[in-house]
Amino acid sequence: MKYNALKGMQDIFSPDIYIWQKVEEVAKDVFSAYGFQELRAPIIESTDIFVRSIGETTDIVEKEMYTFSDKAGRHITLRPEGTAPVVRCYVENHLYNLPSPQKFFYSGPMFRYERPQAGRFRQFFQIGAEAFGVGEPKIDAEILSMLRLFFERLGLKGLNFEVNSIGCEKCRPDYRNALLDFFSVRIDGLCPDCKRRFDYNPLRILDCKVDACIKLREGSPRVTDFLCGECKEHFNTLLSLLKLLNVPYVVNPDMVRGLDYYTRTTFEVTSKDLGAQNAVAAGGRYDRLVEDFGGPPTPAIGFAIGMERITTLLKSSSNHKIPVPKVFIATIGTPAEEEGLVIADRLRDKGIWVEVGYAGNSLKSQLRRADRLSSAYVLIIGDDEINSEKLKWKKLSDGSQGEIAFTEVYDFFK
RNA sequence: GUGAGUGUAGCUCAACGGGUAGAGCACUGGACUGUGGCUCCAGGUGUUGGGGGUUCGAGCCCCCUCACUCACCCCA
């Protein structure tokens, strides 16, 4: 019987795992500098949490969630995204009573039942961050700047920062109506998908990839022209702060977000070096969600980074060092093997990575293995060394070797 | 959910228009009785993803199925 990982789920191990660890480490360092603290929420929540926040008519909720009944018949769902659980945690634990802003980051697996393709999986990992309690655009700018620094620290170049504002509950209906007016006289020329979009989410027509639709939407109303006074001021202030902080952005009025809870600022970081799924990070403001979850009115903003997409970029962009053993202990004969094992453990106690040879292998094959592991040193122990209580060391990079007393070996490696 | 492409050794891939499978890498041992990288020699595995059909004969053709890949929808 042969088993495979489930469709759209993958195993991650050496050497890729070191890239993953690097990304997580950089995220933790950078986010901490901005005052974000790690938060770990369960990966399963009540189904309602996602339905209410993401939106009942979104694709995620309608057809992509891993939803089950537990043994007591509760409806539970493997989280398809990270924001809703954090908001639930924030409200449930009354974190709004703590000084604002409260800033959190998290990382872990998300689940969506989709057809896999390049950069898209059924289990995928995100690193996200959420900031609660600040409505000013200043924090929007800080978050974008934090993302810029994160990518910079990873050495990723050529990323595109796109920002937009989709308004608030006051101005968005006006814009939606203007769009409907605009497309209602052109609907016959739209692609079949956009004809559907016209009814359930006309904003989506704006990022259709069909040529005919691209042409038809020339001169369509721009969301930024329909923002109310407050939204407009928020957006303009954000843009000037981004300039101040040297975040290289592009305003993309056609950018649409897939989740219903977004308000005002939305943004996306994309790369040209990925496939069709080109977003490496995305997020925005969600000023109503905390209140919807039963908390006090609390503005908030957050984003999520797609781990697989970042690691894909890093794999092709630079060569990464993978850890190698410092010492390989090759032994001949049982007494030597036992002595080697003792020495190995003593060195390991000092935090040194030590590998040992195993029974049945010739010295030659042990050395070959040490070489293939790229071990820095080989220690050789046989009957002669046992008798003299000295072992031989060999440095594989230049072939130099020498002798050293058993008792001094612990100081030899520092 | 829709569409297209691909499944041959552990990995990367060969095998003219159907004649019952091969190379490189990797692995192990030896040449070099206790010294790696280079070279040479030797060693092994395939139910050709699975099932059915056509045929004297199928890795190759047909059907079904599974898996993977890419794209659409949608999205990190």
Side-chain angles (χ1 to χ4, degrees), chain A residues 230-249:
Chain A
E230 289 168 351
C231 286
K232 186 141 199 89
E233 193 191 332
H234 184 100
F235 191 51
N236 288 336
T237 305
L238 168 61
L239 298 185
S240 67
L241 289 175
L242 291 178
K243 281 189 194 114
L244 176 73
L245 294 172
N246 290 316
V247 177
Y249 69 88

Side-chain angles (χ1 to χ4, degrees), chain A residues 8 25-26 28 33 51 58 87 90 100 113 126 129 141 148-149 174 191 208 263 266 271 339 373 377 383:
Chain A
E25 183 189 311
V26 168
K28 187 179 178 186
V51 175
T58 57
V87 173
Y90 179 81
S100 285
Y113 194 86
Q126 289 187 335
R148 188 219 57 212
L149 182 59
D174 294 341
C191 72
C208 179
T263 54
T266 59
S271 165
E339 184 64 37
L373 291 170
Y377 289 88
D383 292 340

Side-chain angles (χ1 to χ4, degrees), chain A residues 46-56 58 61 65 84 260-261 288-294:
Chain A
S46 294
T47 300
D48 273 357
I49 282 173
F50 301 111
V51 175
R52 298 252 334 255
S53 58
I54 297 167
E56 283 183 57
T58 57
V61 168
M65 295 207 302
D260 280 358
Y261 53 64
R288 300 296 309 266
L289 195 53
V290 172
E291 201 175 346
D292 287 347
F293 270 44

Side-chain angles (χ1 to χ4, degrees), chain A residues 49 51 58 86 93 102 130 154 168 189 197 215 223 241 291 313 331 333 339 393 396 401:
Chain A
I49 282 173
V51 175
T58 57
V86 174
N93 294 288
Q102 288 291 310
E130 317 287 347
L154 285 174
C168 61
R197 289 171 177 135
K215 280 209 179 70
V223 63
L241 289 175
E291 201 175 346
L313 289 175
T331 56
E339 184 64 37
W393 61 264
L396 289 184
Q401 46 186 314

Side-chain angles (χ1 to χ4, degrees), chain A residues 85-148:
Chain A
V86 174
V87 173
R88 192 224 82 230
C89 168
Y90 179 81
V91 174
E92 178 175 345
N93 294 288
H94 311 291
L95 301 182
Y96 43 77
N97 286 331
L98 298 171
S100 285
Q102 288 291 310
K103 296 178 280 191
F104 306 101
F105 74 91
Y106 58 86
S107 77
M110 308 294 162
F111 303 85
R112 289 182 202 170
Y113 194 86
E114 301 181 88
R115 269 293 252 280
Q117 69 183 77
R120 173 198 283 165
F121 309 93
R122 289 187 172 177
Q123 180 186 87
F124 57 101
F125 286 73
Q126 289 187 335
I127 301 178
E130 317 287 347
F132 297 94
V134 177
E136 295 166 55
K138 185 174 171 182
I139 201 161
D140 305 28
E142 282 184 285
I143 281 200
L144 266 313
S145 187
M146 179 167 93
L147 269 174
R148 188 219 57 212

Side-chain angles (χ1 to χ4, degrees), chain A residues 25-45:
Chain A
E25 183 189 311
V26 168
K28 187 179 178 186
D29 286 353
V30 171
F31 297 176
S32 296
Y34 281 82
F36 286 73
Q37 296 179 298
E38 186 171 2
L39 183 155
R40 301 193 188 190
I43 66 170
I44 307 181
E45 298 273 358

